[in-house]
């Protein structure tokens, strides 16, 4: 087992380069299945979720080759086995994108119920509603989601909730369906647009991605392509908050400032200065962190995937901030860990009241999920003394080289191995 050990406090200064977007990569890699030919995907983040998806593809018979650290070539010509087993699917949510992609390619798919971060119940009814509307038969048996069809037909689908996953999955199934599919109340996140651009570069006909109505004209065939993934909005936001939380001065490069607007707005309200350039933002903070209120919402609202990091910063604000989670039922599990560092936070359902304290003090904590792990890192950078973070595999699912990037900004963070406790060894 490994853990991160952070000595704080520190003011982050310097420049950091943002990697390709995890949540775009985890949709685009399964989407390569739909091509007749090779796809070369560039600006792929070097994270464990990407490695796992590549293993799933190989398991199905695809050829996957890394041309560089961040460029992957995927050839699914000889794909034979439309099955994603439990051992692989249980580690991540995005494994379910193979359902839509395999339905589109092979008219059948068998994917184990997905894993991923635990925020309470994570239903997939909207994905199934979409597939069924297009003529697929879907059943859940022995923990496997099985979908099959003779022919997929375009359909008019109204999503009952705004769902990133359902929008992506149904879009994947629809690109090669017969006729026109219209998705209403679709999600509008930057990774939805990136996936649509990737599919269009393969010959798909998708219009309206980035709005809440997406129109897809099915095509008979998609060809291989070369495509570069957009920068990661959430990784960029995490470094923005880390810079502001530590009272630092950081230039965050390779970003799309437009994607960061809701984060920028909240950081400015909290006393930070954010300067936008064409493909970079500079974040500084000289005065105190001011209390703010925020509510997470689907894009273009404030992203739920930035809620824990922002809460970590607000633990040292002047006064009480109110943080409302508007997407997930249960995304405050990490608050207990922040309390170990001295944070004063009370949670009632989907609302947290964060009473700012003058300082945090280092302590052992756990990463309870990916973004909660990022929040622990930010808290560890602010806190006085040593913070040790366990269960860092969550963090490494989604942040490329976070230790190297932070250390180059002046942090003191190390990844160290921990021997199993005598209790575990005895088991
Ligand atoms: C994606 O999850 C992201 N994951 C999540 O990021 C992110 O938190 C979430 O979107 C919201 O932005 C990936 O892109 C891989 P949803 P997803 O379907 O697609 C309800 C991270 O940290 N819902 O948009 O699973 C659901 O319960 C991860 O990078 C249904 O009711 O989220 C939730 O309340 C964690 N029925 C809401 O919709 C459904 O069929 C939004 O979920 C599907 C969803």
């Amino acid at each position: 087992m490994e853990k991160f050990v952070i000595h704080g406090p520190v003011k982050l200064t310097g420049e950091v380069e943002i990697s390709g977007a995890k949540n775009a990569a985890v949709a685009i890699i399964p989407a390569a299945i739909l091509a007749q030919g090779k796809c070369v995907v560039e600006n792929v983040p070097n994270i464990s979720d990407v490695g796992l998806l590549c293993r799933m593809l190989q398991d199905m018979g695809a050829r996957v080759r890394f041309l560089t650290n961040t460029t992957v070539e995927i050839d699914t010509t000889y794909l034979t086995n439309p099955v994603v087993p439990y051992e692989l699917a249980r580690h991540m949510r995005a494994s379910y994108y193979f359902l839509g992609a395999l339905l589109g390619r092979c008219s059948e798919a068998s994917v184990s119920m997905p894993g991923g971060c635990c925020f309470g119940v994570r239903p997939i009814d909207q994905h199934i509603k979409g597939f069924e509307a297009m003529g697929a038969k879907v059943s859940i048996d022995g923990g496997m989601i099985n979908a099959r069809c003779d022919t997929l037909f375009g359909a008019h689908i109204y999503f009952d909730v705004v769902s990133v996953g359902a929008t992506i999955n149904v879009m994947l199934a629809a690109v090669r369906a017969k006729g026109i599919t219209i998705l209403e109340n679709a999600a509008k996140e930057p990774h939805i647009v990136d996936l649509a651009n990737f599919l269009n570069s393969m010959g798909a006909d998708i219009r309206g991605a980035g709005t809440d109505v997406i129109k897809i004209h099915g095509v008979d065939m998609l060809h291989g392509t070369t495509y570069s993934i957009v920068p990661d909005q959430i990784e960029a936001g995490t470094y923005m908050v880390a810079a502001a939380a530590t009272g630092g001065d950081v230039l965050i490069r390779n970003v799309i400032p437009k994607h960061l607007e809701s984060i920028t707005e909240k950081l400015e309200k909290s006393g930070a200065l954010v300067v936008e350039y064409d493909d970079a933002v500079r974040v500084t903070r000289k005065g105190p962190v001011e209390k703010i209120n925020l509510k997470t919402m689907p894009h273009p609202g404030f992203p739920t995937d930035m809620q824990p990091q922002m809460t970590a910063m607000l633990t040292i604000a002047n006064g009480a901030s109110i943080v409302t989670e508007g997407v997930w039922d249960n995304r405050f599990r990490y608050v207990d860990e922040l309390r170990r560092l001295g944070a004063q936070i009370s949670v009632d359902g989907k609302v947290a009241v964060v009473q700012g304290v003058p300082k945090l003090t280092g302590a052992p904590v756990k990463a309870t999920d990916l973004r909660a792990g990022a929040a622990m890192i930010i808290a560890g950078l602010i806190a006085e003394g040593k913070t040790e973070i366990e269960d860092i595999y969550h963090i490494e699912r989604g942040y490329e080289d976070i230790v190297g990037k932070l250390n180059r900004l002046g942090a003191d963070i190390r990844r160290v191995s921990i021997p199993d406790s005598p209790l575990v060894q005895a088991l």
Side-chain angles (χ1 to χ4, degrees):
M1 277 225 302
E2 276 79 33
K3 65 181 173 184
F4 289 157
V5 179
I6 305 177
H7 289 271
V10 68
K11 284 181 192 293
L12 296 182
T13 54
E15 297 186 8
V16 62
E17 189 85 17
I18 296 307
S19 303
K22 164 193 167 264
N23 287 344
V26 299
I28 284 173
I29 292 170
I33 280 186
L34 290 159
Q36 229 76 26
K38 284 183 191 164
C39 291
V40 175
V41 188
E42 300 167 345
N43 203 31
V44 175
N46 192 353
I47 52 175
S48 62
D49 268 10
V50 162
L52 204 53
L53 283 169
C54 292
R55 276 185 52 203
M56 293 178 202
L57 277 172
Q58 285 169 329
D59 213 55
M60 290 177 214
R63 292 194 185 144
V64 182
R65 201 158 61 102
F66 273 84
L67 307 180
T68 71
N69 258 356
T70 56
T71 303
V72 64
E73 182 187 78
I74 301 169
D75 181 355
T76 62
T77 311
Y78 301 105
L79 192 116
T80 47
N81 176 29
V83 178
V84 183
Y86 171 72
E87 308 83 80
L88 295 174
R90 74 192 170 103
H91 298 289
M92 64 184 297
R93 199 79 200 151
S95 48
Y96 62 16
Y97 292 149
F98 282 113
L99 279 172
L102 285 167
L103 259 185
R105 161 84 183 250
C106 317
S107 301
E108 61 172 321
S110 221
V111 177
S112 177
M113 292 293 276
C117 297
C118 178
F119 316 129
V121 188
R122 293 186 74 174
I124 57 164
D125 56 302
Q126 298 303 304
H127 305 234
I128 294 173
K129 170 177 167 171
F131 296 147
E132 288 181 340
M134 298 174 75
K137 296 234 173 318
V138 184
S139 61
I140 299 180
D141 195 12
M144 299 295 283
I145 311 161
N146 305 304
R148 61 194 69 241
C149 59
D150 294 327
T151 309
L152 274 185
F153 293 100
H156 195 136
I157 298 156
Y158 183 91
F159 291 118
D160 303 324
V161 291
V162 179
S163 161
V164 170
T167 304
I168 288 179
N169 233 341
V170 180
M171 196 194 289
L172 290 170
V175 282
R176 287 177 61 174
K178 288 215 174 317
I180 301 174
T181 299
I182 297 173
L183 307 182
E184 290 206 58
N185 202 23
K188 297 181 278 209
E189 271 67 5
H191 33 290
I192 306 270
V193 179
D194 209 35
L195 173 67
N197 288 341
F198 172 70
L199 291 167
N200 283 344
S201 78
M202 291 156 76
D205 183 352
I206 304 173
R207 297 171 201 193
T211 74
D212 50 17
V213 182
I214 301 178
K215 201 167 179 183
I216 304 157
H217 284 254
V219 295
D220 290 338
M221 197 194 110
L222 297 179
H223 51 76
T225 187
T226 297
Y227 188 81
S228 184
I229 290 178
V230 284
D232 196 312
Q233 173 204 21
I234 303 300
E235 188 195 17
T238 301
Y239 284 98
M240 290 170 78
V241 174
T246 61
D249 180 351
V250 179
L251 183 69
I252 297 142
R253 289 153 51 96
N254 186 34
V255 303
I256 299 175
K258 178 96 191 128
H259 292 171
L260 304 172
E261 275 172 356
S262 61
I263 302 164
T264 298
E265 200 244 346
K266 289 296 172 192
L267 282 178
E268 286 179 335
K269 279 226 165 81
S270 75
L273 177 69
V274 183
V275 181
E276 288 182 6
Y277 302 95
D278 285 349
D279 61 355
V281 288
R282 181 177 168 191
V283 180
T284 48
R285 178 175 63 81
K286 296 225 156 48
V289 177
E290 301 296 345
K291 65 176 182 177
I292 54 166
N293 296 337
L294 69 89
K295 178 171 183 182
T296 69
M297 310 239 257
H299 191 78
F302 187 87
T304 173
D305 293 346
M306 284 302 304
Q307 180 259 95
Q309 301 90 311
M310 203 62 137
T311 301
M313 181 182 83
L314 295 174
T315 59
I316 54 159
N318 265 339
S321 305
I322 299 173
V323 177
T324 307
E325 174 55 44
V327 176
W328 296 108
D329 285 341
N330 185 2
R331 204 172 187 168
F332 284 121
R333 288 196 318 149
Y334 67 89
V335 158
D336 283 342
E337 305 300 312
L338 286 181
R339 288 195 189 114
R340 290 170 174 279
L341 303 171
Q344 279 186 24
I345 307 175
S346 58
V347 177
D348 185 4
K350 293 181 165 192
V351 181
V353 179
V354 189
Q355 177 63 55
V357 293
K359 65 166 192 171
L360 299 183
T361 309
V365 291
K366 266 195 309 212
T368 51
D369 62 61
L370 167 59
R371 308 302 171 187
M376 292 310 130
I377 291 181
I378 291 171
L381 294 170
I382 308 171
E384 275 182 19
K386 182 163 88 168
T387 297
E388 297 178 306
I389 307 175
E390 284 190 17
D391 293 348
I392 59 170
Y393 61 89
H394 285 297
I395 303 172
E396 294 181 335
R397 283 187 42 217
Y399 287 93
E400 176 175 328
D401 187 24
I402 193 160
V403 169
K405 290 185 186 188
L406 284 171
N407 281 337
R408 287 191 284 282
L409 293 173
D412 177 354
I413 169 167
R414 279 177 308 127
R415 184 180 195 279
V416 299
S417 291
I418 31 174
D420 284 340
S421 72
L423 188 61
V424 173
Q425 282 169 4
L427 290 175

